[in-house]
Amino acid sequence: MYYTYMLRCSDNSIYTGMTSNLERRIDEHLSKNKNGAKYTKSHNVIKLEAAWKSKNKSLACKLEYQIKILNKKQKESLINGEKLSAYLKGKIDCRRYRRI
């Protein structure tokens, strides 16, 4: 399983990433571990806002990219429960992702 996730940072920005181990990856971001993302080292992570499960890395990467190119308002809508298909229909097969 692979996960695409969105994190809230202390400056209210949203970081989007993907991983095969969600718990470990969030710990890396929170601890500012050397394996954490450059962005989250300079933007304090507050919490996990949303995550989606997919069957393989390719699917997770595609979703990560599509979320990253959304504007802030659209990302906030996803966090607040809007379905992926509201913004990504026709770009990816939204049925291949399950929100966790």
Side-chain angles (χ1 to χ4, degrees):
M1 274 307 140
Y2 282 83
Y3 303 89
T4 304
Y5 60 92
M6 299 170 74
L7 301 174
R8 174 84 54 196
C9 297
S10 60
D11 63 354
N12 206 34
S13 62
I14 300 167
Y15 173 82
T16 304
M18 61 82 52
T19 185
S20 61
N21 185 328
L22 188 58
E23 187 175 321
R24 175 191 47 87
R25 190 66 177 141
I26 292 170
D27 285 343
E28 289 173 351
H29 289 302
L30 290 170
S31 67
K32 299 188 182 209
N33 180 304
K34 65 177 180 154
N35 295 323
K38 184 177 181 180
Y39 185 86
T40 59
K41 287 179 183 173
S42 61
H43 296 79
N44 294 326
V45 173
I46 298 173
K47 66 179 176 173
L48 173 68
E49 288 283 16
W52 294 265
K53 188 185 286 191
S54 53
K55 290 184 179 182
N56 61 53
K57 186 175 183 178
S58 176
L59 288 171
C61 286
K62 287 176 185 176
L63 180 57
E64 176 190 21
Y65 173 77
Q66 291 299 325
I67 291 173
K68 282 185 173 188
I69 63 174
L70 295 175
N71 63 42
K72 178 88 185 301
K73 185 177 178 181
Q74 291 169 323
K75 290 177 186 178
E76 293 288 356
S77 292
L78 287 178
I79 288 168
N80 291 323
E82 186 73 60
K83 293 184 178 184
L84 289 173
S85 59
Y87 301 111
L88 304 178
K89 187 175 182 181
K91 296 179 181 180
I92 59 172
D93 183 354
C94 298
R95 297 170 297 172
R96 301 184 97 184
Y97 304 94
R98 194 180 87 208
R99 188 163 182 161
I100 58 170

